[in-house]
Amino acid sequence: MLSALLYLRLTSLRNWVRQRVLRLKQPKYLAGAIVGAAYLWFFFLGPAASGGGARRKAAAQAAGGVWPQAGGALPGHVTGVALAIGALVLLVVVVLAWVLSQERASLGFSEAEIAFLFPAPVTRQALVHFRLVDAQLRSLIGALFLTLVSSRWAFASGSPVIRALGWWLILTAFNLHLAGVRFTLTRLADAGLGTWRRRTLVLGLLAAVLAATWAWLPETQRAPVFDGTREGGRVLAEWATALLGTAPLGWVVQPAKWLLGPFFAADLRAFLVALGPALLVLGVHYVWVVRSVVSFEEGSIERAEKHAARVAAVRSGRGAFHDPAAKGRPGPFLLPGTGRPELAFLWKNLLSTWSWLNVRVWAGGAVVIVAAGWWARSHPAWQQGLAALAAMPLVLIGYVIVAGPQFARQDIRQDLPNADILKTYPLAGWQIVLGEMLTPVTILTGVIWLLLLAAAVTFDPAAIKLPSLGRELFAPGTRAVLLAAAALLTPPLVALQLLVPNAAALVFPTWFQATRQRGGGGVDILGQRLIFFGAQLLTMLLVLLPAALAVAGAVFVVRLAGGPLALGVWLGAGGALTILLGELWAGLLFLGRRFEQFDLSSELRP
Amino acid sequence: MIEVTGLAKRYGDFTAVRDLSFTVGPGEVLGLVGPNGAGKTSTLRCLAGIIPATAGTVRIGGNDLATDPVAAKRTLAFFPDEPRLFDYLTVRQHLNFVARVYGVAHHEALAQPLLEELEIADKADELPGALSRGMKQKLAIACGLLHGPKVMFFDEPLTGLDPLGIRRMKDSILKRARDGAAIVLSSHLLHLLEEVCSHVLILKKGGKIAAGTIAEVAARFSQGEADVNLEEIFIRATGGSEN
């Protein structure tokens, strides 16, 4: 059985590599491969090979970069905090698995493996071992990837080999745990334990453990104390560490700490010492899974079908979150038969998103942000923590503007497979492109407005030393104008940002199709995505430059004339809005024409 | 209703359709037939405005599809061989969406009888994922018929339908033709064309081999024999091969 598995995996791997090498004859894959390989080398492999990671860590420690600590070894309390946070993350994931899991017992076989192996003359135990061994191969690949990603983590082990082995242990235990959860929950369900009773039981147990731990803690450690002498983040981290080190919560997370031990080991000796408890955790998981095996065939078939449907959905452009079992729900708003046809696309595409993306949730979020800000401001102990959070919304706004269009794809990219039907509609191309883009524009604008509100609530000018212009800039009146101007400019800015990937889909459809592949990715696909991302950033810089100049010019002229800064900001925002809308209109007309000329039969081929 | 003059479609060096001219009047049903790769689907897609023609003109209801596509598309409906539906819209929501796109006021009053005629009224609140292949086809047809098109293009309309569905589809096409619609359909099922079409256009390698009423085309290829069916005519006309 294991030889069959090895044959399957090695042959598949050989063919996969061969196919990837052969397709490098096409320029789009070759260019992607060059960029992808350069990215991996300069950001991960190169620094790791030259010992850059270790040097950075040493430099960070010498400079007290993580937190001040003398001595050459990794700071003990830093490792302790990281270990505690890691254990907390594992605990959360495990609790979620026990609470959310609704599938019956299943193992992650593919549809082809089910077709060949289930009717084959092999025992159920052999199938389980086949799957467990196969999961190890996948865990190994995942571990290698995560080793590269974690090469810059100052608190992780300096040795790439130790980090890789550490990741492999974590992923293996995680896979085993998920299989064990599914088997056990199926047994419990068959014994009459309903989903909600099980959820209540698990969450009740967790609440009891947390309550007992909190009661066990000395009174002075029951809440983080922001006394102004230490960083807010450090106070929170140390409080969490103390909480996770106290029984009974400490007992619950101990297996997770044992499992994480090898990953944080500073050297070979520490690794070997930590390996014993970690292997014990693995062994217990293995015995648990093997002994709790129940009928998994139906669950595995259902899971494989769902997985295949998801892959097909991604390949056909319907998104990774396509749910074949989804139920219909009411439209997001009333859509009469007459009116602007573009709104029909907003209505349609809003239905393709999560049901909780609606005005009620948005308004609730705004109320929570305002209420939390008001509450924190009225509690001096939390004010410092609030100030520490002030920059976060602004960072997140930048992230949403840059990366948001990659996630909010309810536009022409999602509907490209339906383009032949869209093209029969009696609408101009720009109307279809605009209509298709309205949903992601609405979603991302809503998120950014919430973040602007959070920034306004958390920002405290008294917490920073400001030069005279800064003092005027952050005066209450000017701040309100700035906030309003930012809110006003958000929709056209987001729409312009979304034009770029939509243009990529229509102008370079074959490239765009290639980047959508799932399971068939590689360095070349990574490189293609990077090329798209770079092009998007560059385009954005070019289209934003005139708007930025308008704002700067207006502020300069108003200041020169001795006017208030707020007036300059308003005038600048008005000019910027005009420019952005003009650029947006030009972009829509271009893409509309492109859509009208789009020849599906010759262009929409992967 | 449909006027095609010198239509050509090329993909790079490959010519899919060459110098095609024909007209389809109100109440006429034209069957497009030909071996695989004859250019049937390319022709239909050019006529529906899905892909641009390389040369020639297509006028739908008097409107040039190239210069006034919006007016031309208001009067037509295209039914692909594989129903293209939106995963997250229920049957009723599909009709709501299409009504807004075509500006159909009071669409609810039109949608309900249409759903009942196509026997999917009881599935009005289901998503496409919960529908059988035949029901999806019916939904696509309902969407196409909602705005009362005067020109219809069907690409392999019987694909995936059960015998009852086939009978109903044939009746539906004939009913629309009787009501004055100009219809073009492509199919490999020659008995369907024989039963439904008033005219036939035989294509091979992108070019027209024969065109006219079924009786005219039969007379041309029957070589004096009586009761020659369309299958025999097709084989004789195309020389019994794709090339």
Side-chain angles (χ1 to χ4, degrees), chain A residues 531-543:
Chain A
I531 292 171
F532 269 125
F533 189 63
Q536 177 163 354
L537 283 182
L538 188 64
T539 311
M540 279 316 291
L541 284 176
L542 289 175
V543 298

Side-chain angles (χ1 to χ4, degrees), chain A residues 318 321-323 326-329 331 335-340 344 351 417-418 420 423-426 599-601, chain B residues 9 11 45 49-51 70 73-74 78 84 86-90 93 96-97 99-105 107 127:
Chain A
R318 284 175 290 160
F321 302 106
H322 170 70
D323 179 6
K327 299 273 180 207
R329 62 175 202 259
L335 186 73
T338 52
R340 297 295 313 179
L351 276 168
N418 287 324
D420 51 355
K423 291 196 76 174
T424 65
Y425 292 159
D599 194 338
L600 299 160
S601 44
Chain B
K9 178 65 189 173
Y11 302 104
R45 289 173 155 244
I50 295 170
I51 53 175
V70 173
K73 287 175 181 177
R74 276 196 194 289
F78 173 71
R84 300 289 167 79
F86 300 109
D87 290 332
Y88 289 92
L89 264 56
T90 63
Q93 286 168 341
N96 196 167
F97 171 71
R100 180 64 169 245
V101 167
Y102 284 87
V104 182
H107 61 90
L127 291 174

Side-chain angles (χ1 to χ4, degrees), chain B residues 139-187:
Chain B
L139 172 56
I141 290 167
C143 289
L145 295 179
L146 187 69
H147 66 287
K150 293 292 174 199
V151 171
M152 298 178 209
F153 301 108
F154 290 88
D155 190 4
E156 294 289 355
L158 304 189
T159 306
L161 295 184
D162 60 16
L164 198 59
I166 290 174
R167 164 63 65 85
R168 292 212 167 105
M169 174 63 86
K170 287 193 279 196
D171 291 346
S172 180
I173 292 172
L174 287 170
K175 178 176 179 288
R176 309 293 161 195
R178 279 197 301 274
D179 290 346
I183 298 173
V184 179
L185 59 90
S186 92
S187 178

Side-chain angles (χ1 to χ4, degrees), chain B residues 39-142:
Chain B
K40 302 185 296 294
T41 298
S42 289
T43 302
L44 271 187
R45 289 173 155 244
C46 285
L47 298 185
I50 295 170
I51 53 175
T54 314
T57 58
V58 176
R59 297 178 74 82
I60 306 288
N63 298 299
D64 190 317
L65 195 56
T67 58
D68 194 0
V70 173
K73 287 175 181 177
R74 276 196 194 289
T75 58
L76 70 81
F78 173 71
F79 303 95
D81 54 344
E82 201 50 49
R84 300 289 167 79
L85 302 168
F86 300 109
D87 290 332
Y88 289 92
L89 264 56
T90 63
V91 169
R92 202 188 300 281
Q93 286 168 341
H94 268 88
L95 294 170
N96 196 167
F97 171 71
V98 169
R100 180 64 169 245
V101 167
Y102 284 87
V104 182
H106 313 301
H107 61 90
E108 296 89 348
L110 297 169
Q112 193 57 31
L114 206 51
L115 293 177
E116 281 165 12
E117 181 195 332
L118 293 165
E119 298 178 322
I120 47 171
D122 59 329
K123 303 286 179 188
D125 295 318
E126 298 283 359
L127 291 174
L131 303 179
S132 67
R133 169 70 174 69
M135 285 176 183
K136 287 179 185 170
Q137 184 87 323
K138 288 176 178 178
L139 172 56
I141 290 167

Side-chain angles (χ1 to χ4, degrees), chain A residues 226 231-233 236 382-393 458 460 463:
Chain A
F226 300 101
E231 294 170 33
L236 274 175
W382 283 90
Q383 267 192 10
Q384 196 195 353
L386 199 64
L389 292 175
M392 201 180 288
T458 52
D460 180 10

Side-chain angles (χ1 to χ4, degrees), chain A residues 581-594:
Chain A
L581 287 176
E583 289 173 340
L584 184 60
W585 182 240
L588 281 174
L589 286 181
F590 167 73
L591 279 193
R593 271 199 296 275
R594 175 65 197 154

